[in-house]
Amino acid sequence: MDVVLRKAKMADVRLIHRMLMDCASKRLLLPRSYTEIYSHLRDFIVAEYLDLSEVVGCCALSITWEGLAEVRSLVVTEGARGQGIGRRLVEACISDALTFGIYKVFVLTYQVDFFRKLGFQEVSKDILPQKVWADCIKCPQFPECDEVALMLEL
Ligand SMILES: CC(C)(COP(=O)(O)OP(=O)(O)OC[C@H]1O[C@@H](n2cnc3c(N)ncnc32)[C@H](O)[C@@H]1OP(=O)(O)O)[C@@H](O)C(=O)NCCC(=O)NCCS
């Protein structure tokens, strides 16, 4: 089935929330509230089955600091996995980063091998103080976070 990637719209918010909460309940990623999704909606890209107009994945690029952005909220629905959609979503975020003149993209994740395949390399969270002090300290898992930080230098 053909898949298109596009910027997220208001009508996608409930589904984005459901996809993220479903994965959060399995501890695959951190939950995001409706407020966070609405306020960061411009960061989101969704993947859609062209013929069905069915959204099957999402990903967001969040600008963190000068020259630095984070890939967040990456989900592909279970039935749509293994077709390269996750890769395309991350690549779209990377391309977005480049258009902003951002050359470092990081992720905090449990899917280390997936991101390694896309060229990301493991780094210490110590090199991401802007992320730690802006977001991590508000996270219930702080400071016992077991997500792995990976960085891609473009
Ligand atoms: C991780 C996830 C986004 C991958 O999506 P996907 O569409 O199945 O991935 P793709 O088909 O694009 O896979 C790209 C490559 O990564 C590999 N891959 C996919 N998932 C992988 C995983 N969990 N671990 C290691 N490799 C993985 C694929 O085999 C493929 O390799 P290839 O290029 O050699 O063929 C999806 O499994 C998912 O939504 N998981 C739950 C949510 C989650 O963990 N999100 C990450 C939050 S940071």
Side-chain angles (χ1 to χ4, degrees):
M1 195 131 17
D2 288 341
V3 173
V4 286
L5 266 51
R6 60 165 173 80
K7 296 292 281 180
K9 299 178 198 168
M10 203 47 81
D12 300 315
V13 169
R14 284 185 182 275
L15 185 55
I16 291 172
H17 183 258
R18 200 183 319 143
M19 290 191 293
L20 294 175
M21 293 310 278
D22 184 45
C23 283
S25 69
K26 296 170 187 150
R27 292 183 50 83
L28 293 169
L29 44 72
L30 296 174
R32 294 196 84 179
S33 65
Y34 275 116
T35 309
E36 287 175 297
I37 298 170
Y38 283 124
S39 59
H40 294 279
L41 190 60
R42 280 177 289 191
D43 292 346
F44 276 87
I45 294 166
V46 295
E48 186 174 69
Y49 280 146
L50 187 58
D51 294 345
L52 304 175
S53 298
E54 179 190 344
V55 170
V56 291
C58 66
C59 191
L61 181 81
S62 170
I63 298 175
T64 310
W65 199 254
E66 185 181 2
L68 181 67
E70 178 184 11
V71 171
R72 297 184 73 167
S73 303
L74 170 66
V75 177
V76 175
T77 55
E78 281 181 21
R81 288 180 194 162
Q83 304 177 58
I85 299 173
R87 176 192 289 275
R88 284 179 61 190
L89 283 164
V90 174
E91 286 174 350
C93 286
I94 291 166
S95 154
D96 211 13
L98 284 170
T99 65
F100 281 99
I102 294 170
Y103 301 105
K104 285 185 180 182
V105 177
F106 73 95
V107 65
L108 290 173
T109 187
Y110 299 112
Q111 306 299 333
V112 176
D113 290 338
F114 169 79
F115 281 97
R116 277 207 189 110
K117 280 201 164 173
L118 299 188
F120 286 73
Q121 293 183 332
E122 242 176 275
V123 291
S124 165
K125 287 176 202 145
D126 296 346
I127 69 162
L128 299 166
Q130 302 90 345
K131 169 67 183 173
V132 173
W133 295 112
D135 291 327
C136 297
I137 52 163
K138 294 183 237 159
C139 173
Q141 293 187 32
F142 184 81
E144 309 298 337
C145 169
D146 53 357
E147 287 189 315
V148 176
L150 295 106
M151 178 84 80
L152 178 69
E153 300 212 18
L154 301 164

